[in-house]
Amino acid sequence: MMNGEQIVRIFLIRRWWIVGSVILGTLVGAGLATALPHVYDVKAQVIVSMAESTDVSAVESGTYIDDLMPNVLEVSRSNDFAHEVSKGSDVDRSTAQIRDSLDFVLVPDTSVIEVHVQDQDLGQARVLADRAAQTMSTSFLTDRLGTVSSLDVSVLQRSESSVDGAYPDLVRFVGLGALAGLVLGLLLAPIRHGLDPRLRDFGDIRRTLGTEMLAVRMRKPSGAIRRQAANCGASTSISGLLARLDLTGRRRGSTVVTLCGVGGVGNQLAADLVETAAASGMSCALVSADPAELSTSHYRELSQVTGISVVDANSLSGESLLIGRALADALCAVLADYDLVICLSSDFAAHPQTCSFLELSDIAVVVTAPHPVWADLRSTQELLRAGESLPVGFVLVDQPLEADSDTGTTNHRRDAFRKPAANPAGSESVSSASVGASSATTTSAGHDTPTKELDIVPGPRAVTALATPTNGNDANGGQS
């Protein structure tokens, strides 16, 4: 059950639906007021008094008029009265039309009767109002009342003095249209919010995952995201994110971090993490079970950066896919040789088999766009719960661009840390083992520097060689 705060937040998120409905209602009201035919309301006035020949007091005459006024109004609204009005030479309406258009209203606390006529023809409305007032001032009315010259009805105000467009009233139609649009918007906003497969409220991400925002890595975060990041102390840099995860420093020992992507995001964040960590002197590995990702030029370039190894988890065995304990056993021996290991699942909900990474992980971080699909976020949360892994937080990133998946993104920082190219045979500075075997770099002084480098073999499927620290000897015990 939603509380008042959640309802207000829905209205704020869907405010443009409400604003749009109000604008639409206003336009419809104005359009109707303009398109509908105008009906003019013309008013004339008559006053009822006692005849001069009647010798009665003012109090008695007032009482007498008050008693007769209902009869006066009844006679004025009759068919006979309408027929009498229609006898005018300038009247162009039938008796039925005149009766429908005429109305008589007694002004409160007076003996004044207002004659109202509504007609689409302004001139005809004036004619009918004047004709009706004149008819009331003749003997026709007193004859129907059965009184002998006791009442005197005279015209007090002719129709020309008051002419108003009664229908449609533009101001009233616009106001009613705006009000109807507001009501419609308030009804549509929660319905649209419930039908939207994507989350529009950042608070829903926090409530679903039960954790806080760690960082924001977006090109142009919205004002709402910036405010939320400031309120929760989220980092806006990779170094800040590493510090918040307590992953800064060199030679910290093996730490395994799983990035649980929601909706295909997380690739660029994983690359930035290992690059920044490698730049600080840490030995890093990026592990993925998706060969399609690892075969892009983005990751082929990343594998050439000193201190970074890119591992295709599926190449660790002849099987098409490693899951569960098999994946854990295949990776354990290799991952222990690194300071930082980033396990990447950029579509965690679509590939639940990658939950095996959670068994090896020390830290799990959810990576999501600001407005993820609710089902994907929920599935990710359930998979984490099934793996008894509570994420330390989530990171907001941009939606993936098609260009990122096709051609990759080049980071200028890689050039400074690119691995040295292998020299020709006989060179004294650097020697390299063949592809698929361990490699070691030899200094000119003859000392061996252990390295853990995994090189992707270009081809339709990315295959990564597993490397372990060497002491300068090959697998057969020979000197490299």
Side-chain angles (χ1 to χ4, degrees):
M1 189 68 178
M2 291 189 298
N3 54 34
E5 181 183 355
Q6 290 174 315
I7 294 176
V8 171
R9 190 160 54 244
I10 289 176
F11 288 149
L12 290 176
I13 294 172
R14 303 293 174 180
R15 59 188 178 276
W16 292 114
W17 278 76
I18 300 175
V19 173
S21 298
V22 172
I23 295 175
L24 178 62
T26 302
L27 294 177
V28 170
L32 288 176
T34 304
L36 291 175
H38 285 266
V39 178
Y40 295 96
D41 181 78
V42 179
K43 179 179 67 175
Q45 289 182 345
V46 296
I47 185 169
V48 181
S49 60
M50 294 298 295
E52 294 180 359
S53 60
T54 304
D55 188 12
V56 295
S57 64
V59 175
E60 291 176 340
S61 65
T63 303
Y64 184 72
I65 292 174
D66 290 342
D67 292 340
L68 285 180
M69 196 62 70
N71 295 333
V72 173
L73 296 176
E74 183 179 358
V75 172
S76 301
R77 293 166 180 164
S78 65
N79 283 330
D80 291 340
F81 184 85
H83 179 69
E84 185 69 18
V85 173
S86 67
K87 292 180 179 179
S89 59
D90 51 354
V91 175
D92 188 18
R93 295 290 184 271
S94 65
T95 299
Q97 291 175 330
I98 293 174
R99 183 182 178 183
D100 292 339
S101 63
L102 282 175
D103 190 21
F104 301 87
V105 179
L106 177 64
V107 178
D109 301 326
T110 67
S111 59
V112 176
I113 298 176
E114 289 185 346
V115 182
H116 289 269
V117 179
Q118 290 186 348
D119 198 280
Q120 295 183 18
D121 187 344
L122 178 58
Q124 192 62 207
R126 285 176 172 173
V127 169
L128 290 176
D130 289 337
R131 177 64 181 167
Q134 292 172 1
T135 303
M136 292 181 70
S137 65
T138 63
S139 61
F140 174 84
L141 185 62
T142 57
D143 291 345
R144 297 299 184 277
L145 292 174
T147 60
V148 182
S149 300
S150 57
L151 290 180
D152 183 19
V153 181
S154 59
V155 177
L156 180 64
Q157 178 179 292
R158 292 178 60 84
S159 61
E160 287 81 2
S161 61
S162 177
V163 179
D164 298 315
Y167 181 86
D169 185 353
L170 178 60
V171 176
R172 181 176 297 179
F173 265 62
V174 169
L176 291 177
L179 180 61
L182 176 62
V183 174
L184 180 63
L186 293 177
L187 292 176
L188 290 178
I191 295 176
R192 179 65 180 90
H193 192 81
L195 295 177
D196 195 344
R198 293 186 176 274
L199 292 179
R200 299 297 175 182
D201 187 358
F202 308 132
D204 288 338
I205 301 177
R206 183 181 64 253
R207 285 188 294 271
T208 303
L209 299 175
T211 185
E212 295 295 331
M213 181 192 298
L214 294 176
V216 175
R217 292 291 292 169
M218 302 179 67
R219 289 180 290 271
K220 295 181 180 179
S222 65
I225 293 179
R226 287 195 296 267
R227 287 192 298 270
Q228 186 181 12
N231 292 336
C232 66
S235 172
T236 57
S237 65
I238 293 298
S239 57
L241 176 58
L242 289 173
R244 187 160 183 180
L245 295 175
D246 195 23
L247 299 176
T248 57
R250 182 174 181 177
R251 298 299 179 186
R252 299 181 50 85
S254 180
T255 301
V256 182
V257 179
T258 295
L259 299 184
C260 309
V262 178
V265 299
N267 292 358
Q268 185 59 49
L269 179 64
D272 291 343
L273 284 172
V274 294
E275 282 190 277
T276 304
S280 65
M282 299 177 67
S283 178
C284 305
L286 192 151
V287 182
S288 176
D290 189 352
E293 295 173 358
L294 297 178
S295 62
T296 62
S297 60
H298 175 55
Y299 287 103
R300 284 199 297 270
E301 286 190 3
L302 189 64
S303 65
Q304 299 301 315
V305 179
T306 301
I308 298 178
S309 299
V310 179
V311 181
D312 179 0
N314 287 328
S315 70
L316 303 179
S317 172
E319 303 175 14
S320 60
L321 182 64
L322 288 175
I323 59 175
R325 180 54 54 188
L327 177 61
D329 293 343
L331 287 175
C332 277
V334 179
L335 302 187
D337 298 327
Y338 295 91
D339 302 322
L340 176 63
V341 178
I342 302 294
C343 296
L344 172 64
S345 176
S346 58
D347 204 346
F348 202 65
H351 302 287
Q353 67 273 10
T354 54
C355 288
S356 304
F357 289 147
L358 297 175
E359 299 180 12
L360 309 172
S361 300
D362 303 303
I363 300 174
V365 176
V366 175
V367 186
T368 176
H371 305 300
V373 176
W374 165 256
D376 291 346
L377 184 67
R378 187 66 178 172
S379 298
T380 300
Q381 193 264 352
E382 292 297 333
L383 290 170
L384 286 166
R385 181 181 298 173
E388 298 180 354
S389 177
L390 179 66
V392 297
F394 65 92
V395 180
L396 290 183
V397 298
D398 285 311
Q399 288 284 0
L401 301 176
E402 293 184 2
D404 294 340
S405 59
D406 296 336
T407 60
T409 303
T410 303
N411 192 318
H412 297 293
R413 187 170 62 248
R414 296 176 193 155
D415 296 335
F417 301 99
R418 191 172 300 279
K419 297 175 185 177
N423 286 346
S427 173
E428 295 181 357
S429 59
V430 178
S431 63
S432 175
S434 60
V435 173
S438 301
S439 61
T441 303
T442 305
T443 64
S444 59
H447 300 288
D448 297 328
T449 302
T451 60
K452 302 176 288 296
E453 300 174 359
L454 306 182
D455 297 322
I456 294 181
V457 178
R461 170 169 175 168
V463 179
T464 305
L466 300 182
T468 56
T470 63
N471 295 320
N473 297 331
D474 59 15
N476 298 323
Q479 187 70 25
S480 61

